[in-house]
Amino acid sequence: MKIVLASQSPRRQALLGQMGLTFTTISPQIDEEAFQAPSPQQLVQTLSREKARWAAARLPQDTVIIAADTVVVRDETVLGKPKDPAGARAMLASLAGRTHQVCTGVTVCRGEKLITQAETTQVTFRPLTDGEIARYVATGEPMDKAGAYGIQGLGGLLVAGIQGDYHNVVGLPVCRLGQILLDFGIDCLALAAD
């Protein structure tokens, strides 16, 4: 069974590899700015579904396609990727000493069958000084990440705690995805045992 990840994210690729899956990737070409939804959870579900549909239109019907979209949410405001270092500093300052949410929508499809779900994890930052924020931004790590941090990298130094799925914060809710894949006849634990 051919599996395709509709993402070029190295973090998502690494997580799928850790799940024991063999897959290829495709980069969906959708205009994310064109989509709106009443809530962040609905937005990430819509975006992951559109990415999966884009890939499905270009791949054989029997391909299993996995797509995801992740956003960082503070006070119901979606924080995207920072446009520049000043934007990254402002985002991090707004998260410092507070709890925010990371929402990921994940879609799996094969032929006519499509399942979309969302996962939300609560993330609490410790208080940060302006100097700490400036030094973190200077590493360059925040620049390609929603919310301007990567929990799996140096950004982990900013996180006091999480409630929920850690992998969701990295960009792919591994536990939830594993359950969805079972509906497509893919048992990751059985694959790992073989």
Side-chain angles (χ1 to χ4, degrees):
M1 187 179 304
K2 183 171 183 184
I3 300 172
V4 173
L5 173 65
S7 173
Q8 292 300 310
S9 163
R11 294 165 292 281
R12 290 192 181 117
Q13 292 176 37
L15 290 172
L16 271 192
Q18 289 172 20
M19 292 174 70
L21 298 174
T22 301
F23 60 95
T24 58
T25 64
I26 189 171
S27 183
Q29 304 299 310
I30 65 164
D31 179 10
E32 295 186 17
E33 303 295 322
F35 296 92
Q36 295 183 354
S39 72
Q41 292 80 5
Q42 289 171 301
L43 176 63
V44 292
Q45 288 182 79
T46 297
L47 290 172
S48 72
R49 193 167 35 250
E50 291 303 316
K51 290 176 181 180
R53 286 181 175 150
W54 183 94
R58 289 152 179 83
L59 296 167
Q61 280 269 320
D62 62 345
T63 305
V64 174
I65 298 163
I66 300 169
D69 193 80
T70 302
V71 296
V72 173
V73 183
R74 186 205 67 242
D75 300 330
E76 292 301 312
T77 299
V78 173
L79 302 180
K81 296 176 183 177
K83 291 183 176 28
D84 54 37
R89 286 191 296 275
M91 274 188 205
L92 292 164
S94 77
L95 298 173
R98 300 183 58 197
T99 298
H100 62 275
Q101 296 74 43
V102 176
C103 302
T104 301
V106 63
T107 297
V108 179
C109 70
R110 181 180 187 199
E112 296 298 312
K113 184 173 184 175
L114 183 143
I115 298 174
T116 301
Q117 295 182 8
E119 184 77 29
T120 300
T121 303
Q122 306 289 325
V123 180
T124 302
F125 268 26
R126 65 178 176 80
L128 302 171
T129 67
D130 290 344
E132 288 173 317
I133 291 171
R135 288 192 297 279
Y136 179 54
V137 171
T139 69
E141 185 177 275
M143 298 316 298
D144 69 338
K145 295 174 181 63
Y149 75 97
I151 194 170
Q152 73 284 356
L154 291 169
L157 296 168
L158 315 179
V159 177
I162 70 167
Q163 183 176 359
D165 183 343
Y166 165 83
H167 297 105
N168 185 52
V169 184
V170 178
L172 196 64
V174 169
C175 182
R176 184 174 294 272
L177 176 58
Q179 294 299 297
I180 296 171
L181 289 172
L182 287 173
D183 285 337
F184 289 82
I186 301 170
D187 184 335
C188 294
L189 290 176
L191 289 173
D194 284 344

